[in-house]
């Protein structure tokens, strides 16, 4: 019997997840149906319940429902608990809902795919929202020399750093606290979607540093357009999207797909 999966979002029509998971299923000979569902802003829990009642077995969850997905779960993974957000839902054999967060693992695997050194690196993470919270534990587990989190509201960055201080050297503050250069600068804000730039100094990149924007589009994001002339090597979040999806697929189907061909297909679909 064909098992049903989906991605929930609002809006969700632009999502590449159906394409990604169709490719994963074809590649691994899995018989699944994967769709995009635009859940009502005021009734995500109801949308999930109706999906499960209709035979749904699991889902990806995107903006703006990751915290609501967290709240409805009966059981949560360690990394979901750390992140305070869920992007992967699974219906267990007992009908209970299990929640996980694969975003941070997706980032780390994308960095590894591009041979970006994280161990012993000085890393700057811009932003202190849910997206950043989801990536900090997997990032710190890779043993960087230090991680600095900066945000327009300094208190949010400070609180985030305090929450993860047991995992490695991590500091938080406002943009005015920045000093020195970094080997990897990750834009974890959604500023690129509105064409805005975080107020970073021109000398923020060390020699041969990487600039990573968690957003992606058919053209380089504003952040990457700014970083390139300042000597940084550039990566966007398309690979992270594919890698976090592969981790979700593995959780659902217990088979790990190859991500390289799906990366290539997705990049071509953007006409990048």
């Amino acid at each position: 019997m064909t098992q049903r999966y989906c991605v929930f979002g609002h809006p969700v029509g632009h999502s590449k997840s159906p394409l990604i998971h169709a490719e994963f299923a074809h590649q691994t000979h899995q018989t699944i149906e994967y769709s995009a569902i635009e859940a009502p802003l005021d009734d995500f829990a109801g949308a999930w319940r109706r999906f499960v009642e209709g035979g749904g077995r699991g889902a990806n969850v995107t903006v703006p429902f990751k915290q609501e997905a967290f709240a409805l779960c009966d059981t949560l993974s360690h990394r979901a608990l750390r992140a305070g957000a869920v992007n992967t839902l699974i219906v267990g054999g007992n009908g209970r809902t299990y929640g996980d967060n694969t975003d941070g693992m997706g980032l780390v695997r994308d960095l590894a795919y591009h041979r970006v050194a994280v161990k012993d690196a000085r890393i700057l993470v811009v932003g202190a929202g849910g997206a950043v919270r989801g990536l900090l534990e997997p990032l710190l587990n890779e043993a960087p020399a230090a991680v600095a989190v900066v945000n327009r509201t300094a208190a949010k960055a400070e609180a985030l750093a305090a929450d993860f201080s047991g995992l490695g050297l991590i500091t938080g503050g406002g943009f005015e606290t920045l000093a020195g250069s970094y080997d990897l600068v990750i834009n974890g804000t959604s500023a690129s979607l509105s064409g805005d730039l975080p107020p970073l100094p021109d000398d923020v990149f060390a020699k041969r540093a990487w600039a990573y924007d968690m957003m992606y589009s058919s053209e380089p994001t504003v952040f990457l357009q700014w970083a390139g002339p300042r000597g940084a090597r550039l990566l966007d979040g398309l690979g992270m999207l594919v890698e976090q999806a592969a981790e979700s697929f593995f959780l659902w189907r217990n088979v790990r797909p190859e991500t390289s061909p799906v990366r290539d297909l997705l990049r071509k679909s953007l006409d990048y």
Side-chain angles (χ1 to χ4, degrees), residues 62-255:
T62 187
V63 176
F65 297 121
K66 292 184 182 183
Q67 280 72 38
E68 290 178 65
F70 180 91
L72 65 74
C73 289
D74 300 302
T75 309
L76 292 157
S77 72
H78 171 77
R79 53 192 179 188
L81 284 167
R82 269 285 192 184
V86 158
N87 80 328
T88 305
L89 293 169
I90 305 164
V91 180
N94 56 5
R96 292 166 68 82
T97 298
Y98 174 81
D100 206 338
N101 190 307
T102 67
D103 285 333
M105 186 58 66
L107 172 72
V108 167
R109 287 194 176 136
D110 190 33
L111 292 171
Y113 180 89
H114 290 286
R115 295 186 172 87
V116 178
V118 176
K119 182 176 170 59
D120 298 326
R122 280 174 45 83
I123 300 174
L124 174 64
V125 181
V126 183
V132 168
R133 177 172 282 277
L135 68 85
L136 286 178
E137 180 174 12
L139 203 58
L140 286 162
N141 285 344
E142 297 298 308
V147 174
V149 180
V150 291
N151 192 59
R152 292 182 191 272
T153 305
K156 287 186 68 175
E158 292 164 1
L160 203 56
D163 286 347
F164 289 86
S165 60
L167 299 178
L169 180 57
I170 179 170
T171 58
F175 287 93
E176 71 281 356
T177 64
L178 283 174
S181 57
Y182 295 85
D183 305 303
L184 170 62
V185 179
I186 300 171
N187 181 22
T189 74
S190 58
S192 292
L193 296 178
S194 56
D196 293 331
L197 269 174
L200 295 169
D202 285 338
D203 60 354
V204 72
F205 298 107
K207 186 176 181 181
R208 292 190 58 74
W210 290 90
Y212 191 107
D213 198 328
M214 289 170 64
M215 301 294 109
Y216 70 93
S217 67
S218 58
E219 300 293 334
T221 67
V222 171
F223 171 68
L224 296 181
Q225 290 178 40
W226 175 84
R230 287 158 181 82
R233 293 176 284 178
L234 311 179
L235 287 172
D236 68 13
L238 183 140
M240 176 182 171
L241 174 69
V242 175
E243 294 294 342
Q244 64 81 26
E247 181 72 5
S248 295
F249 191 88
F250 174 75
L251 292 171
W252 294 328
R253 310 299 298 177
N254 200 33
V255 60

